[in-house]
């Protein structure tokens, strides 16, 4: 790619632009904030957290000075609690439900407090959980994203021999390759993976699970799924989603048209000058990924960044606060704008768009980032592992995360169609419980598996 | 503008706010600054024999983000030479003729010693004396301070010695480290005291450093019990003030001390019988400037309530204090949750469930879950309303018919 087709900013400026949007708290800040928490009972924030972390519990431990105890509460319910502290959409989850938001419009900064506690545990290199006594059983996990990691951590704690197969060079799934760089750098995701590895979980990287029963070694090893069945007592599929959907319009293959995931992945190398970047950048779509693309293109210094979406602002799948962030960053919005064609000879020069009333118009543009959602992994399930998918291409699982094949479990984006990292983590937890039940007949419930209903004491006064 | 001037046992002050004898009244220049800030009077840091103080001397109790809700000290009386204090006292009084300057005294339990210091100090032109029978640490080990205040006969005797030679009003400062405050109060009156002040500090150990395992405050690896004061002691002081105010035999003025931070605290002391108040810890925390809002707030309060003078509120609530056995057993209140103000923290629920009478259940309204009081179970203890963080979300409502009253004493009268 053309040398000029990259950021015009100097490195110091870019580093500044990509500073963490939710920075670490100082001890004084954490104390102040922790003490502000009311310590609600059967707390709304805990209900709202998909992994049901005992939020008041971990916050009060920060306030009492028991920070390691606090981190334990968090990791007990969410093995990727350090990543989630940074990437969770807290505005619509725990913090959105906080009673302090209702009372004084200032929710407790639960995410940053969670970061404070987990950072502390990581900084003092505290091994919070240990591998359980070996139970002689083995589980193979395909995919090392949030779902796979969470399942691996719980199974290791129960004494399973766990192997995670990951086709990428680095573990962590989208936590490592997909999170907006101003939310979380790769180092955090990788150190979290490291803590899970220390529970005795084995990671086989550069290893893709394919059909058949052969194992071929190469730059990327191929392992047939039938081998997994041989090697392991159960399999957990946490393969996430597939490639970005195609636009299926003329000009899609011109130089300068890039898929949002690839764009973000390149940013995450922090080799800023290697990231392709035009002057007039159009991002197609208005979901979470599209927001991450526009905000990062802006931070890299693109002169003009546009978000182009077929429907209205109200229809945008991104959260309201995300759109607000994009607005604050100076992104230009083209609502109800349908992309008809990308114009250019070799590389992108303009977009041809239309409005609902049929009027057509052109937008000057030298880079297009596609962010219209990812494909489902339907064929992986049907053709390679032979388990059922639903009409939307999602693998079908029961409450225990078991697929149509009793030895195969699945969870995360591949099962829910794409949600948040924290949802994938919870599914990994449920899968670990399901696998344990299937292999041993024993029931186990990890912290935050579900919210236990309040048990009212029987009254005996009169 | 209400009249804030006070005449406390013949001691006239521009307002009822005095500084208690403590570090804020350590020396003349400090007291002069305090008067400039608005304080109506000051009780000089206790004078007596030369002593040596230790370092460190203070330690505090924090609650969450709130610093110093209680303060503990092991400081003794003044460590400055008596001549210097007396010289400054004379100068200060000359410069501030309309402010009240009280000399606090404490010497060994000998008549000559007490009379000697009384006479010498009197020559400064100070307005009155306060006899420190309260210091609970250090001085008490030498037979002074609380050691005297804890024995009513000594209190009476020393008061008599001072009264014999004093031409100006004598206040006796009482120690709270007694089982019952009335006997020492009556003893002071019997000895001829013109007034009492209370409370001095309470015996206390504030805590232990759990890393070094050395209790606070650390003096070269050791600690000694100290005297407790500040916000946390206010309820104890209010009780003692009100007990003296209710005592039929006790009828000299009371200067209220202990945990006063604001005009509101001061008003509470006065309603329960204090004719003026003294402040220490709040000034040690925030400085002399706090008196500005004390004066302003008191003024506005009196105006709002329609009182012409601060003296009008003194003792107004004393008749509302009684013994438990005289309380009405038929009065009945029950908690009510106002859903529009409820933020669903469920603190009321758990408090009642684990700390009271299991009188809450949940109800679902418009997809939200609210706590609801089971009236038949509620004993009307107030706990839920006390823990509720949302103002007005829980109201205690009277439910009895307002019929005849009956106290425990009445109920058991025939037995
Ligand atoms: C751009 C982007 C930004 C996002 N931002 C946020 C955010 O800020 N906050 C948030 O909470 N969520 C965010 N999400 C969503 C979140 O990343 C996902 O919900 C979460 O990562 C799903 O976890 P998972 O384990 O199911 O899948 P993934 O994280 O996708 O992990 C799947 C893993 O499986 C591997 N794999 C796939 N097939 C094979 C195979 N055949 N053999 C071996 N390995 C295989 C993949 O390489 C990958 O590492 C974002 C998603 C995207 C795309
Ligand atoms: C450091 C310190 C030193 C004190 N020294 C004296 C003293 O010398 N004489 C005395 O009568 N009281 C002394 N006190 C007690 C105060 O005068 C006062 O009675 C007590 O602090 C309660 O009031 P507060 O709650 O406003 O502080 C001292 C208090 C403190 C904190
Ligand atoms: S809802 Fe808010 S105040 Fe209540 S426990 Fe959760 S974080 Fe604390
Ligand atoms: S007043 Fe006491 S008993 Fe009644 S509901 Fe409240 S806490 Fe429970
Ligand atoms: S304590 Fe108050 S705000 Fe909290 S649930 Fe009860 S009534 Fe509602």
């Amino acid at each position: 790619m053309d040398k000029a087709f990259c950021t015009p900013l100097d490195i110091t400026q870019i580093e500044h632009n990509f500073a963490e949007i939710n920075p670490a708290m100082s001890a004084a800040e954490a104390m102040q904030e922790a003490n502000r928490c009311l310590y609600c009972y059967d707390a709304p924030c805990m209900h709202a957290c998909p992994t049901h972390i005992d939020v008041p519990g971990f916050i009060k431990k920060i306030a009492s000075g028991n920070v390691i105890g606090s981190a334990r509460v968090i990791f007990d319910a969410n093995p990727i609690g350090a990543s989630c502290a940074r990437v969770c959409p807290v505005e619509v989850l725990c913090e959105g439900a906080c009673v302090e938001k209702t009372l004084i419009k200032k929710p407790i900064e639960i995410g940053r407090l969670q970061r404070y506690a987990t950072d502390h545990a990581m900084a003092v290199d505290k091994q919070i959980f240990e591998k359980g006594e070996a139970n002689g059983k083995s589980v193979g996990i395909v995919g090392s994203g949030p779902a796979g990691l969470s399942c691996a951590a719980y199974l290791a704690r129960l004494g399973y021999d766990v192997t995670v197969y990951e086709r990428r060079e680095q573990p962590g799934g989208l936590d490592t390759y997909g999170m907006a760089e101003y939310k979380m750098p790769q180092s955090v995701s990788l150190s979290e993976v490291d803590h899970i590895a220390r529970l005795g979980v084995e990671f086989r990287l550069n290893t893709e699970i394919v059909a058949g029963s052969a194992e071929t070694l190469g730059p990327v090893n191929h392992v047939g799924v039938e081998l997994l069945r041989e090697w392991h007592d159960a399999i957990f599929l946490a393969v996430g989603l597939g490639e970005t959907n195609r636009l299926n319009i003329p000009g899609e293959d011109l130089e300068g048209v890039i898929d949002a995931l690839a764009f973000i992945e390149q940013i995450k190398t922090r080799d800023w000058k290697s990231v392709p970047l035009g002057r007039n950048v159009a991002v197609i779509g208005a979901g979470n990924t599209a927001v991450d693309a526009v905000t990062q293109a802006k931070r890299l210094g693109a002169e003009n960044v546009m978000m182009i979406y077929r429907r209205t602002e109200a229809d945008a799948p991104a959260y309201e606060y995300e759109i607000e962030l994009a607005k604050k960053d100076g992104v230009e919005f083209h609502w109800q704008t349908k992309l008809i064609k990308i114009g250019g000879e070799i590389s992108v020069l303009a977009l041809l768009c239309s409005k609902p009333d049929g009027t057509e118009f052109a937008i000057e543009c030298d880079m297009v980032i596609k962010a219209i959602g990812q494909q489902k992994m339907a064929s992986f399930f049907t053709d390679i592992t032979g388990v059922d998918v639903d009409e939307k291409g999602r693998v079908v699982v029961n409450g225990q995360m078991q697929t149509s094949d009793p030895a195969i479990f699945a969870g995360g984006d591949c099962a829910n169609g794409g949600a948040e990292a924290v949802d994938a983590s919870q599914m990994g937890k449920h899968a670990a419980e399901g696998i344990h039940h299937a292999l041993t007949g024993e029931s186990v419930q990890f912290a935050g598996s579900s919210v236990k209903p309040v048990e009212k004491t029987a009254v005996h006064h009169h | 503008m209400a009249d804030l001037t006070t005449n406390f046992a013949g001691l006239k002050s521009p307002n009822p706010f005095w500084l208690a004898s403590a570090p804020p009244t350590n020396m003349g220049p400090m007291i002069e600054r305090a008067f400039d800030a608005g304080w109506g009077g000051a009780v000089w840091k206790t004078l007596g024999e030369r002593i040596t103080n230790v370092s460190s001397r203070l330690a505090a109790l924090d609650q969450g983000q709130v610093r110093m809700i209680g303060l503990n000290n092991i400081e003794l009386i003044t460590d400055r030479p008596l001549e210097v204090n007396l010289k400054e006292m004379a100068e200060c009084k000359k410069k501030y003729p309309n402010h009240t300057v009280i000399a606090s005294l404490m010497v060994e339990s000998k008549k000559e010693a007490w009379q000697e210091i009384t006479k010498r100090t009197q020559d400064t032109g100070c307005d009155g004396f306060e006899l420190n029978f309260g210091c609970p640490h250090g001085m008490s080990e030498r037979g002074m301070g609380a050691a005297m205040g804890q024995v009513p006969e000594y209190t009476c005797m020393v008061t008599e010695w001072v009264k014999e030679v004093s031409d100006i009003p004598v206040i006796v400062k009482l120690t709270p480290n007694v089982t019952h405050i009335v006997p020492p109060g009556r003893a002071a009156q019997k000895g001829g005291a013109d007034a009492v002040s209370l409370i001095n500090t309470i015996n206390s150990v504030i805590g232990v450093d759990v890393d070094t395992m050395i209790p606070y405050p650390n003096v070269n690896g050791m600690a000694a019990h100290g005297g407790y004061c500040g916000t946390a002691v206010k309820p104890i002081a209010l009780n003692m003030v009100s007990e003296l105010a209710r005592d039929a035999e006790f009828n000299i003025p009371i200067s209220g001390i202990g945990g006063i931070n604001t005009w509101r605290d001061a008003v509470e002391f006065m309603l329960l019988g204090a004719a003026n108040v003294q402040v220490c810890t709040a000034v040690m925390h925030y400085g002399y400037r706090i008196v500005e809002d004390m004066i302003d707030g008191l003024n506005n309060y009196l105006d709002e309530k329609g009182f012409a003078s601060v003296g009008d509120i003194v003792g107004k609530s004393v008749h509302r204090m009684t013994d438990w056995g005289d309380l009405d057993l038929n009065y009945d209140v029950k908690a009510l949750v106002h859903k529009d103000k409820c933020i669903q923290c469920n603190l009321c629920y758990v408090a009642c469930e684990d700390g009271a009478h299991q009188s809450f259940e949940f109800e679902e309204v418009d997809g939200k879950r609210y706590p609801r009081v089971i009236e038949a179970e509620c004993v009307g203890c107030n706990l839920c309303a006390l823990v509720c963080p949302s103002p007005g979300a829980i109201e205690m409502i009277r439910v009895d018919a307002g019929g005849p009253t009956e106290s425990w004493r009445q109920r058991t009268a025939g037995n």
Side-chain angles (χ1 to χ4, degrees), chain B residues 333-336 348 351-353 355-360 373-375 377-385 394 396:
Chain B
V333 294
K334 298 213 185 282
L336 177 76
C348 53
C352 186
E353 193 75 0
H357 296 83
Q358 300 80 46
S359 316
F360 272 97
V373 178
I374 309 166
E375 256 206 39
E377 299 300 335
C378 174
V379 301
C381 72
N382 280 352
L383 180 64
C384 54
I394 296 188
M396 302 303 299

Side-chain angles (χ1 to χ4, degrees), chain B residues 309-327:
Chain B
S309 150
V310 64
D312 296 345
I313 63 168
V314 174
K316 272 250 175 270
S317 300
V318 175
H319 72 285
R320 295 275 183 191
M321 290 292 302
T322 185
D323 293 338
W324 193 95
D326 293 324
L327 294 174

Side-chain angles (χ1 to χ4, degrees), chain B residues 35 62 64 71 111 143 149 172 186 225 266 268 320-321 328 359 404:
Chain B
F35 287 161
D62 302 335
L71 178 67
K111 188 172 181 177
V172 170
R186 286 187 189 168
H225 87 268
E268 293 177 57
R320 295 275 183 191
M321 290 292 302
D328 180 11
S359 316

Side-chain angles (χ1 to χ4, degrees), chain A residues 35 41-42 99 456-457 459, chain B residues 65 345-346 353 360 369 377:
Chain A
N35 277 309
Y41 178 68
D42 197 36
V99 301
K456 171 97 186 102
T457 318
V459 181
Chain B
Q65 282 314 106
C345 68
N346 308 327
E353 193 75 0
F360 272 97
R369 188 188 59 176
E377 299 300 335

